[in-house]
């Protein structure tokens, strides 16, 4: 995040040290004038062209673009938002709420205004400042008095009194996702080592069968022990067309698979996750990982940039001898965080409706979010938005 920040981080802007703002070309706008005064901002561009505002923010010439009335449409902001989000920025309405671009054609306009901000922290400060100016200085209820069906629903339910205290996160398919499709990795290594007759369907079937099979009784329902080779070896043998356990090719393929997935370059980090975790911890929210994984996970996370400055603790099933959805692994995380008894103040997010959503709910968590592009309460696909909602609950 903050890659588009002109001349440094949003911290400089928070100290009112030169906020540069793009606005539309109008004769007079009382809302804009009041916000500029309250934030000590200067107008960098006064052009009625939303796309140009996006470009100025993206290239680092401005911190933000502000429109505090109707005027833009979804096609004015959609493409720019895609680019800005990739650079760590945020686009919202005047109150900080996100727009739903999948809404019906009746929601083509953006009646609740448009805020373009170069990073998430600056966006939180700016929209909070705007709300304060509108409500307290101007006695103006905009945009909350506007009917706008295209405003995206929040992910989190109403927070408990005092706000959310803890965020716990799943890894595979949520915080980290493979850059190369798993089946393609298996096929590539099969070709490299001369294993013939391997198909995508065969690899997929072997993986499904491996994960569907119950762990051996002596593992007490836990899939991974130690580095997980006891689980992966028979699965990889099946995916490679039924290689015998004593076939040296199996060892070679398995070693290459382990080397591949231990390489941080093999993983795509959820956009905005690092900035969100940093911001949450700075705001007093504890962050932990809870994952069904083997003992190599803590090192992988550090190699991917998630060190102790971003995550309070990493709870791994192979170490706890407890797999999600078992409540014990969630309880272990709260014990490490010193939050036992505060389950109702905790949020968990992951990509499994059973392991993550049902598991954390049964453990008493106040919110259990499914990591999915589908919009709505209980669903999430952006750690920056989760952080915004959690921090707002603590104000």
């Amino acid at each position: 995040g903050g890659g588009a920040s002109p001349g440094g981080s949003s911290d400089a802007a928070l100290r009112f040290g030169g906020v540069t703002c793009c606005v539309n070309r109008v004769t007079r706008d009382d809302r804009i004038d009041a916000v500029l005064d309250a934030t000590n901002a200067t107008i960098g561009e006064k052009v009625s062209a939303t796309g140009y505002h996006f470009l100025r923010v993206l290239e680092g010439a401005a911190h933000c673009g502000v429109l505090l009335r109707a005027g833009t449409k979804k096609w004015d902001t959609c493409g720019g938002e895609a680019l800005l989000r990739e650079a760590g920025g945020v686009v919202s309405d005047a109150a900080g709420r996100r727009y739903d671009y999948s809404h019906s054609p009746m929601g083509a306009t953006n009646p609740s205004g448009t805020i373009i901000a170069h990073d998430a922290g600056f966006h939180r400060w700016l929209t909070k400042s705007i709300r304060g100016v509108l409500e307290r200085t101007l006695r103006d209820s905009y945009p909350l008095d506007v009917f706008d069906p295209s405003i995206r629903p929040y992910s989190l339910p109403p927070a408990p009194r005092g706000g959310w205290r803890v965020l716990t996160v799943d890894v595979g398919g949520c915080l980290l996702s493979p850059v190369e499709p798993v089946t393609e990795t298996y096929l590539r290594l099969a070709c490299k080592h001369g294993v013939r007759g391997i198909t995508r369907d065969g690899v997929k079937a072997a993986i499904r069968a491996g994960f569907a099979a119950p762990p051996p009784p002596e593992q007490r329902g836990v899939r991974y022990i130690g580095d997980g080779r006891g689980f992966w070896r028979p699965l990889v043998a099946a995916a490679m067309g039924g290689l015998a356990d004593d076939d040296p090719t199996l060892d070679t393929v398995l070693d290459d698979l382990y080397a591949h997935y231990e390489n941080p370059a093999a993983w795509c980090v959820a956009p905005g996750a690092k900035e969100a975790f940093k911001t949450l911890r700075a705001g007093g929210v504890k962050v932990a990982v809870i994952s069904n994984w083997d003992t190599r996970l803590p090192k992988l996370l550090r190699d991917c940039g998630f060190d102790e400055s971003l995550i309070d603790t990493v709870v791994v099933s192979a170490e706890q001898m407890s797999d999600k959805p078992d409540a014990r692994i969630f309880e272990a995380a709260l014990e490490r965080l010193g939050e036992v008894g505060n389950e109702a103040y905790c949020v968990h997010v992951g990509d499994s409706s059973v392991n993550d959503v049902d598991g954390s709910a049964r453990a008493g968590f106040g919110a259990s979010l499914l990591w999915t592009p589908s919009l709505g309460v209980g669903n999430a696909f952006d750690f920056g938005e989760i952080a915004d909602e959690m921090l707002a609950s603590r104000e």
Side-chain angles (χ1 to χ4, degrees):
S5 172
S9 71
S10 62
D11 291 339
L14 297 181
R15 292 193 298 270
F16 314 114
V19 179
T20 304
C21 182
C22 296
V23 299
N24 275 22
R25 186 179 64 251
V26 294
T27 303
R28 180 173 178 80
D29 189 320
D30 291 341
R31 291 169 178 163
I32 292 289
D33 291 344
V35 167
L36 292 176
D37 287 342
T39 58
N40 198 29
T42 58
I43 296 176
E45 301 285 348
K46 202 168 188 179
V47 179
S48 297
T50 305
Y52 186 69
H53 293 181
F54 274 106
L55 288 174
R56 297 301 282 169
V57 174
L58 281 163
E59 65 188 9
H63 289 90
C64 59
V66 177
L67 179 67
L68 300 181
R69 56 179 174 80
T72 65
K73 297 181 173 61
K74 296 294 185 293
W75 49 80
D76 294 317
T77 56
C78 183
E81 179 169 353
L83 293 171
L84 192 62
R85 283 170 68 100
E86 186 64 23
V90 178
V91 178
S92 73
D93 81 335
R97 303 171 298 178
R98 272 54 164 194
Y99 282 111
D100 177 3
Y101 291 99
S102 66
H103 193 69
S104 71
M106 296 298 292
T109 61
N110 296 331
S112 301
T114 307
I115 305 298
I116 303 167
H118 74 87
D119 75 17
F122 178 79
H123 174 265
R124 277 187 291 274
W125 169 79
L126 179 61
T127 52
K128 182 178 180 180
S129 299
I130 290 171
R131 290 195 302 271
V133 169
L134 294 177
E135 294 170 6
R136 293 189 290 274
T137 304
L138 300 181
R139 306 297 182 184
D140 186 342
S141 55
Y142 182 83
L144 303 182
D145 59 348
V146 175
F147 174 70
D148 191 350
S150 69
I151 291 295
R152 193 189 310 172
Y154 291 116
S155 295
L156 291 170
R161 185 178 180 86
W164 301 109
R165 298 168 60 101
V166 173
L167 174 67
T168 63
V169 180
D170 179 38
V171 176
C174 180
L175 185 59
L176 300 180
S177 299
V179 172
E180 180 181 49
V182 173
T183 52
E184 299 306 310
T185 302
Y186 277 67
L187 290 170
R188 176 171 55 79
L189 292 178
C191 180
K192 174 183 175 181
H193 294 290
V195 182
R196 308 300 179 191
I198 307 304
T199 65
R200 288 179 178 81
D201 288 344
V203 171
K204 289 179 182 178
I207 293 173
R208 289 194 195 100
F211 279 90
E218 64 270 18
Q219 294 183 200
R220 297 179 294 167
V222 178
R223 176 175 292 132
Y224 306 114
I225 300 296
D227 68 357
R229 283 182 180 256
F231 168 77
W232 288 110
R233 187 177 183 86
L235 186 155
V236 172
M240 293 294 120
L243 290 177
D245 188 64
D246 60 355
D247 190 327
T249 303
L250 175 57
D251 292 312
T252 306
V253 173
L254 187 59
D255 287 344
D256 277 5
L257 279 169
Y258 263 56
H260 174 77
Y261 287 114
E262 288 171 359
N263 183 354
W267 297 96
C268 176
V269 174
K274 294 176 184 177
E275 180 66 24
F277 292 179
K278 179 181 178 181
T279 303
L280 282 168
R281 295 192 72 201
V285 176
K286 297 174 183 177
V287 179
V289 162
I290 304 177
S291 181
N292 291 349
W293 208 286
D294 59 59
T295 53
R296 297 172 298 156
L297 180 60
K299 182 179 185 305
L300 175 62
L301 287 172
R302 285 194 297 273
D303 291 345
C304 289
F306 292 97
D307 59 16
E308 291 77 6
S309 68
L310 299 181
I311 296 176
D312 290 278
T313 190
V314 178
V315 182
V316 181
S317 61
E319 295 176 345
Q320 293 300 134
M321 291 302 293
S322 170
D323 274 11
K324 295 179 296 183
D326 186 354
R328 289 178 298 166
I329 192 170
F330 294 97
E331 293 164 359
L334 297 191
E335 184 174 356
R336 290 193 195 178
L337 294 171
E339 295 290 346
V340 173
N342 290 325
E343 291 84 356
Y345 294 83
C346 300
V347 176
H348 179 74
V349 58
D351 71 325
S352 170
S353 59
V354 174
N355 291 342
D356 294 300
V357 176
D358 293 347
S360 59
R362 284 201 294 268
F365 277 42
S368 304
L369 303 181
L370 182 65
W371 189 255
T372 172
S374 300
L375 303 177
V377 177
N379 295 343
F381 206 59
D382 186 307
F383 281 110
E385 293 180 18
I386 295 172
D388 281 351
E389 292 185 38
M390 293 186 73
L391 292 171
S393 75
R394 298 171 61 83
E395 294 178 351

